[in-house]
Amino acid sequence: MRYLILSDIHANLEALEKCLELARGKYQKVLCLGDLVGYGPDPNAVVEMMRRTASVVIRGNHDKACCGMMNVDDFNPWARQATYWTREMLSPKHIAFLRQLAPGPCTMPGFEMVHGSVENEDQYIIEPAEAIPALRSQSVQLVFFGHTHLQGGFLLSRAGVFQKISGGSRASGHILTLDLEDGTRYLINPGSVGQPRDGNWRAAFAIFDETKRRIDFYRTEYDLATTQEKMSQARLPEPLIQRLEFGR
Ligand SMILES: [Fe+2]
């Protein structure tokens, strides 16, 4: 089985379409690690497309916030404003869909899916201080996570060697192949489709070939100007419009 792993789409339809285009023919099932909506200008179209294409979707913090299941006190003012806008825009059936999304961890054959971490769906795993305990406590070899919008992840070898996995900051197309080794544990982030924050504005995703035990990371350019124009039309906050082109 080959899986297309998507995360943090954030209502960016142009980015999502390009990811599906570049991944075409390379996968059999689509999995999503949450944050379908929030920030971007196309919440309904993105939810619609994911309902059509994804086999498994778990919820992210923005999904919870945008369907009213979580308050936005902890969000910065721009994220808060975008959440209120998204709540207004979402159709009732898509709100109902977001409300019934399961939290992670979701157990799949030979791996797990989470939004933040196995312990806490809202935790950010960014530094070794967060990644090492998470790797030590995970009960499966491979966990896919999102939430940080940083493509790559971490590994811990049988000998206890910790390593960060990163795809480089300016690349496009196929970025990196990772062959899983027996005895090594992996925490893998496919990157963010709709709002990357690793200094590379290009939409990110990963393909997991379960039979070959291989993960391939990708980036693709998309029509950023159109997404930004839609955000301007919707009067979404200017800093959210600008950050897309810097990948921040
Ligand atoms: Fe996110």
Side-chain angles (χ1 to χ4, degrees), residues 20-96:
L20 292 170
E21 196 180 309
L22 181 57
R24 193 168 297 146
K26 299 182 175 75
Y27 66 89
Q28 285 124 352
K29 280 189 177 173
V30 179
L31 309 179
C32 178
L33 308 175
D35 279 3
L36 281 71
V37 298
Y39 294 127
D42 280 306
N44 286 308
V46 164
V47 171
E48 186 74 47
M49 184 166 288
M50 294 311 287
R51 291 179 73 164
R52 267 209 321 270
T53 58
S55 300
V56 181
V57 181
I58 58 170
R59 71 187 187 190
N61 54 322
H62 285 261
D63 301 319
K64 285 189 285 182
C66 290
C67 69
M69 289 174 76
M70 188 183 96
N71 70 49
V72 289
D73 297 349
D74 290 343
F75 281 14
N76 68 49
W78 303 311
R80 215 177 292 158
Q81 198 182 322
T83 303
Y84 295 143
W85 180 86
T86 305
R87 283 178 183 171
E88 292 289 310
M89 294 300 294
L90 276 170
S91 70
K93 71 169 183 174
H94 290 151
I95 287 177

Side-chain angles (χ1 to χ4, degrees), residues 5-175:
I5 319 277
L6 303 176
S7 192
D8 298 279
I9 302 163
H10 285 293
N12 186 333
L13 182 64
E14 287 72 31
L16 175 60
E17 286 176 338
K18 279 292 177 184
C19 288
L20 292 170
E21 196 180 309
L22 181 57
R24 193 168 297 146
K26 299 182 175 75
Y27 66 89
Q28 285 124 352
K29 280 189 177 173
V30 179
L31 309 179
C32 178
L33 308 175
D35 279 3
L36 281 71
V37 298
Y39 294 127
D42 280 306
N44 286 308
V46 164
V47 171
E48 186 74 47
M49 184 166 288
M50 294 311 287
R51 291 179 73 164
R52 267 209 321 270
T53 58
S55 300
V56 181
V57 181
I58 58 170
R59 71 187 187 190
N61 54 322
H62 285 261
D63 301 319
K64 285 189 285 182
C66 290
C67 69
M69 289 174 76
M70 188 183 96
N71 70 49
V72 289
D73 297 349
D74 290 343
F75 281 14
N76 68 49
W78 303 311
R80 215 177 292 158
Q81 198 182 322
T83 303
Y84 295 143
W85 180 86
T86 305
R87 283 178 183 171
E88 292 289 310
M89 294 300 294
L90 276 170
S91 70
K93 71 169 183 174
H94 290 151
I95 287 177
F97 172 77
L98 294 176
R99 290 185 82 92
Q100 58 79 48
L101 287 178
C106 172
T107 302
M108 300 292 291
F111 64 98
E112 284 185 346
M113 297 164 55
V114 301
H115 184 64
S117 76
V118 171
E119 296 295 322
N120 177 352
E121 62 179 331
D122 297 327
Q123 184 193 2
Y124 288 93
I125 300 181
I126 296 174
E127 301 294 337
E130 294 121 18
I132 292 170
L135 283 160
R136 284 211 179 107
S137 64
Q138 72 189 42
S139 59
V140 291
Q141 184 195 20
L142 174 62
V143 174
F144 286 102
F145 74 107
H147 197 34
T148 63
H149 300 208
L150 306 172
Q151 189 178 47
F154 310 91
L155 64 81
L156 188 65
S157 77
R158 194 198 298 264
V161 178
F162 172 79
Q163 199 182 313
K164 189 173 175 183
I165 303 156
S166 164
S169 65
R170 299 183 68 87
S172 184
H174 179 251
I175 302 291

